[in-house]
Amino acid sequence: MIRSRRLVHAALGGAMALSCTVLTTPAQAAPAVDEPTGTVRLATEKRVTVDYPWAGASGFQYRPGTTSVTTVDYPDTVPPAHAGPDDLATGTDVVNTRDGQRVVQKHRSTGVTVTVTIPTGQAYRAAVGWSVLTMDGTGALHVLRTVDGTLTVDTPVTGFPAGARPVLYRTGGSATRLAIVYALDGKTSVGLVDLSDGTFRTYVTGDTATPQIAFNDRWLVADWKAIRVAAAPGTEPTALTSTDAQLEAVVGDQLLIGNPTFVLGGTEAALTARSLVTGASATVLPSSFGGIGPTPDGGALATAGPSSLDWNIHRITPDRSGGLTTAEVAQVPAAATAVQGLAVAGGGSPPPRPQYKGWPSPAASCSSTERRPAPRCATAASSWTPPAGPPAPRRAAAPL
């Protein structure tokens, strides 16, 4: 039996990508149960926004919307010779999983696993690397870490202002620091707690109730004010020219800015970088928006691409010259879309000319089983069946 392939043309409501093929056969008896002879995959042109449940030195996890989590491993990862809470630098590849008053910490590339037990009277607030931040009933903060894999060591946080009310705890491009936004005397301030010894230092104070924050081990940028982490006490932050975009991450000496509120007609949002040393700006990734964020190894992840069929996650890392490098590390599948309307046409070799009984044509007999089945395109939402009644003579369809 000879089969030919024809492309089904579809007229669809909304913007989407379509692929469909059907098989046509010479005139023959219809089967008792029709089998699908083609498939259609409809994908929306709207690019998927992702978030990152976890990211580290050996890979990351991403989640498109509310769908399941996908894990991506970097192919060039070299596990450290030793990893554990006694080496905080290896915390860039730790997954923290909370279970009530316990936090299980697993180093992904080596498999080293320890458990931090939160003492009675303390409540979990945040975790990064090998450290867990808690608060007790008096409002005092603590840094918890394990020794020998089992014993939990409690280090009180020092330097946090008395009477201050924590508003937000934020991780960034570091495995050894956490940012805390707090309110005190009608002002909002941002500082970093050094998880190695529990010391806290305030860097930026302003009137913005919920300031944007981005930081790594070199820089803190809050409310469009930048300051070096190692700056001498009393150093005032440098005001930056603000835009309607978001402070996404600090990578090396570069501030990543993305997801603007408005873009000019005919253009798309881009991820840009502004040097915190020279002030120079440059485009890092064109057509980039949605899932952008820091990683604890000092890098960042960002989605970018010209369409939903070419929408990728890029890893951004600092280079030796003070600039940035980007590498495509995963492709985000396009989301499916519903069928709004479907028109189907098919073609092929003309069937044998039928003759009809009781109709104005040369007298001859023609049983209903000799009708040529129409091409069908199976979809989840639509189907097409031939009209009832005797078929009219068919002409050969023009090649598609």
Side-chain angles (χ1 to χ4, degrees):
M1 182 180 297
I2 299 174
R3 294 179 181 268
S4 62
R5 304 180 72 88
R6 291 291 184 268
L7 179 67
V8 172
H9 291 269
L12 304 166
M16 59 189 72
L18 166 68
S19 64
C20 175
T21 58
V22 292
L23 301 178
T24 61
T25 64
Q28 61 182 14
V33 178
D34 289 342
E35 295 293 333
T37 57
T39 59
V40 172
R41 183 180 183 277
L42 305 178
T44 176
E45 286 189 355
K46 182 178 180 180
R47 280 157 279 191
V48 177
T49 298
V50 306
D51 62 13
Y52 306 103
W54 175 84
S58 67
F60 62 95
Q61 294 176 329
Y62 75 90
R63 176 174 50 206
T66 59
T67 60
S68 59
V69 172
T70 299
T71 300
V72 176
D73 294 316
Y74 299 138
D76 56 350
T77 299
V78 178
H82 168 77
D86 59 335
D87 185 358
L88 294 187
T90 63
T92 57
D93 204 32
V94 170
V95 181
N96 281 276
T97 305
R98 181 189 171 199
D99 181 12
Q101 291 295 99
R102 300 167 64 249
V103 179
V104 178
Q105 302 177 317
K106 181 177 181 180
H107 192 271
R108 283 194 74 244
S109 60
T110 64
V112 173
T113 303
V114 299
T115 299
V116 175
T117 301
I118 300 175
T120 301
Q122 294 186 19
Y124 174 91
R125 288 294 178 263
V128 64
W130 296 109
S131 305
V132 177
L133 185 70
T134 63
M135 176 182 284
D136 63 25
T138 69
L141 297 169
H142 301 254
V143 176
L144 307 181
R145 202 157 40 244
T146 62
V147 174
D148 298 329
T150 55
L151 179 62
T152 299
V153 176
D154 186 333
T155 302
V157 172
T158 59
F160 193 74
R165 177 176 58 86
V167 176
L168 177 69
Y169 305 90
R170 176 68 60 83
T171 58
S174 172
T176 60
R177 288 178 172 83
L178 271 168
I180 302 178
V181 180
Y182 67 88
L184 180 65
D185 299 331
K187 297 287 186 178
T188 301
S189 300
V190 182
L192 298 175
V193 55
D194 187 334
L195 299 171
S196 65
D197 58 10
T199 57
F200 177 86
R201 177 181 169 184
T202 299
Y203 288 93
V204 177
T205 298
D207 298 320
T208 304
T210 55
Q212 298 182 45
I213 303 171
F215 70 93
N216 61 5
D217 286 324
R218 295 185 187 181
W219 295 89
L220 168 68
V221 182
D223 197 21
W224 293 93
K225 299 172 184 176
I227 186 171
R228 285 187 180 273
V229 173
T235 302
E236 290 295 321
T238 301
L240 305 176
T241 302
S242 63
T243 71
D244 67 339
Q246 304 295 309
L247 304 179
E248 301 291 359
V250 180
V251 180
D253 293 320
Q254 302 286 332
L255 172 64
L256 299 186
I257 305 171
N259 286 311
T261 304
F262 300 101
V263 294
L264 296 175
T267 64
E268 290 191 323
L271 179 65
T272 62
R274 184 184 301 179
S275 172
L276 294 172
V277 177
T278 67
S281 296
T283 298
V284 180
L285 292 169
S287 300
S288 176
F289 48 87
I292 307 172
T295 57
D297 60 348
L301 295 170
T303 46
S307 74
S308 64
L309 300 181
D310 190 14
W311 188 236
N312 305 288
I313 298 174
H314 298 252
R315 185 185 187 188
I316 305 168
T317 54
D319 62 23
R320 295 181 179 179
S321 65
L324 301 173
T325 60
T326 64
E328 184 180 305
V329 290
Q331 182 174 17
V332 180
T337 189
V339 177
Q340 302 297 322
L342 184 65
V344 180
S349 301
R353 180 177 178 85
Q355 294 179 328
Y356 299 94
K357 181 179 181 180
W359 287 74
S361 62
S365 63
C366 177
S367 67
S368 61
T369 59
E370 291 175 328
R371 300 172 193 166
R372 183 169 184 259
R376 302 183 64 187
C377 184
T379 71
S382 298
S383 63
W384 181 86
T385 56
R394 298 185 57 185
R395 297 178 180 178
L400 300 179

